Amino acid sequence: MTVTDRRTILKAGAMLPFLFASTDEVLGQTASPVSPFPYGQPIGQYPQPEFIRDALRLHFGSALQDKSKLFDGWDKDIVAYGMAPQPIGKDMLRAFYTAVFEEFPDFRLVDDVMLVAGDMGAHRYHALGTHTGGKSPTHAKIMFRGQTIYRVNSAGYIVWRNSNHDHGFRESQLDYFRQPSAAGPVRSWAPDPFAPSVSVVQLHTPATGMTEHSIRDIFAQMQNAFNQPRKRSDFWRNFSPSAAICGLNHDDPLKPMPLSALVERDQSLRAGLNRFKMWTEELIVCGDHVAHLYRLEGKHSGGAISGKPADGRDIVLREQAVYRFGSDNRIAEMWINHDRRLFEQQFGKGS
């Protein structure tokens, strides 16, 4: 398995949150006509990881010029899972994405990582868009996230896909902005990723002079400090005192909170969980931004958490966070997305 390391913001009007996976239903199908993409023909023995990667990148990249070109990379007999209770074909896929483009005309994709194995490609992303279209526009800036798995044939077309995009995450933001009390912008989005003058290089070239190696070293030290009570202060020392923390306020998920709010949450969890540990599952570094997938573990043998008394059970919490380092080489912003459903399964009523 190979991993490409390109993490860029694509101005793709396509809802790339959805992936294509493979099934036996497409194994015996006839190859499509020669792909019009530059790397439409594999060189040497098929499949090659580079060919699969380039086919998917070109598929997504073609939507930069024209959103409708997203559809050109799909085989006419594509089988798509995850969009409906049953598999759907190209016509229904086209109808779905056309509706998405109408509701979010400025849809942007943040390409986090792509994995390639055999004739399969797996793509994880988060995306941004402004809800200015459709019947009931909220003019809210919404974040999307998800994964998709694809199978690519020898002509460079996607013949199978399985998408897993987080509808609940998107709808919870739209629901918030539909509330009467949610008038006005929540945050300033600086630098503005929607502004035409802001290039990929400007957004993702570190202004701090930090290298990927130095950032990874900081996170290794942070995890070590987090897991050792005597080194707790070393963990917080990596945050700027003025750091903005988003994702802690459930009534207003995009509202920045002070660092003290994150410290208080940590103290509350530590009061309830013994042997409280953090484990990194994946770390992606892009300029002065970091995407962090991690889990928190502990035994609920201390104080109550979310009103639930201790019962001695082992607890696992899963979170994703995106960080931005500031000019002082410390974390200036942090966006947290946590698995709320998993939390409620362990601490909700009746758990």
Side-chain angles (χ1 to χ4, degrees):
M1 177 175 287
T2 63
V3 182
T4 64
D5 61 1
R6 176 184 173 189
R7 342 278 197 223
T8 59
I9 289 186
L10 301 180
K11 295 171 64 176
M15 188 113 176
L16 306 182
F18 315 96
L19 305 172
F20 311 57
S22 60
T23 72
D24 294 336
E25 299 178 35
V26 298
L27 290 178
Q29 78 171 43
T30 304
S32 301
V34 174
S35 169
F37 296 137
Y39 302 110
Q41 290 293 326
I43 301 173
Q45 185 177 1
Y46 165 81
Q48 296 171 297
E50 295 79 10
F51 170 70
I52 303 299
R53 179 202 62 209
D54 288 344
L56 292 174
R57 293 294 188 202
L58 289 162
H59 167 71
F60 298 144
S62 65
L64 291 171
Q65 291 77 34
D66 182 349
K67 293 177 183 179
S68 65
K69 288 189 177 296
L70 175 74
F71 313 135
D72 295 342
W74 297 335
D75 187 84
K76 63 181 180 64
D77 296 321
I78 185 174
V79 178
Y81 289 81
M83 312 290 289
Q86 66 285 338
I88 63 175
K90 187 170 183 176
D91 289 343
M92 291 186 68
L93 272 177
R94 183 192 296 269
F96 173 84
Y97 283 110
T98 299
V100 170
F101 302 156
E102 290 176 352
E103 293 216 357
F104 298 91
D106 62 349
F107 191 90
R108 303 288 197 275
L109 173 73
V110 182
D111 181 13
D112 295 327
V113 68
M114 180 177 288
L115 308 178
V116 176
D119 58 354
M120 307 286 292
H123 172 86
R124 193 180 74 222
Y125 71 92
H126 65 284
L128 303 170
T130 310
H131 190 216
T132 56
K135 295 181 179 179
S136 303
T138 63
H139 301 281
K141 291 180 178 178
I142 302 299
M143 179 178 285
F144 306 75
R145 63 185 180 190
Q147 310 89 29
T148 304
I149 305 171
Y150 311 81
R151 168 167 281 167
V152 178
N153 67 11
S154 58
Y157 288 97
I158 296 168
V159 295
W160 192 95
R161 56 169 277 167
N162 192 316
S163 58
N164 177 20
H165 37 281
D166 194 336
H167 290 294
F169 179 64
R170 179 193 67 221
E171 290 302 314
S172 65
Q173 297 170 73
L174 288 172
D175 287 344
Y176 168 74
F177 281 103
R178 292 186 183 110
Q179 298 173 14
S181 61
V186 178
R187 68 182 301 270
S188 62
W189 293 94
D192 185 359
F194 300 89
S197 61
V198 178
S199 69
V200 171
V201 174
Q202 288 173 314
L203 283 174
H204 290 279
T205 299
T208 61
M210 302 176 72
T211 65
E212 178 171 347
H213 183 274
S214 65
I215 290 177
R216 289 185 177 276
D217 185 57
I218 287 174
F219 271 84
Q221 294 178 36
M222 287 177 65
Q223 178 170 298
N224 182 56
F226 187 96
N227 292 341
Q228 298 187 54
R230 294 182 179 179
K231 293 187 175 182
R232 193 86 31 82
S233 60
D234 291 342
F235 176 82
W236 298 113
R237 200 170 287 132
N238 291 283
F239 288 82
S240 170
S242 59
I245 312 297
C246 295
L248 294 181
N249 187 341
H250 302 302
D251 295 327
D252 184 350
L254 298 182
K255 180 180 179 180
M257 302 289 284
L259 180 62
S260 59
L262 184 63
V263 175
E264 289 172 6
R265 190 193 74 154
D266 177 75
Q267 292 173 341
S268 175
L269 288 173
R270 289 184 184 278
L273 299 176
N274 291 325
R275 299 198 299 273
F276 192 44
K277 304 288 185 182
M278 172 196 291
W279 304 109
T280 295
E281 295 183 350
E282 188 161 3
L283 190 71
I284 301 169
V285 179
C286 180
D288 51 13
H289 285 71
V290 179
H292 189 202
L293 179 65
Y294 58 95
R295 68 183 189 275
L296 303 171
E297 298 179 352
K299 181 178 287 292
H300 191 196
S301 54
I305 296 179
S306 193
K308 184 177 179 61
D311 56 10
R313 286 194 297 174
D314 290 329
I315 298 299
V316 177
L317 306 177
R318 294 189 180 277
E319 296 187 341
Q320 301 174 17
V322 177
Y323 309 80
R324 181 182 66 82
F325 280 85
S327 57
D328 60 354
N329 291 358
R330 292 194 287 180
I331 295 169
E333 292 180 285
M334 178 182 183
W335 298 267
I336 302 175
N337 297 318
H338 63 98
D339 192 333
R340 184 72 181 172
R341 181 173 298 178
L342 178 61
F343 181 89
E344 291 176 346
Q345 286 176 351
Q346 297 172 95
F347 298 109
K349 295 180 180 180
S351 61

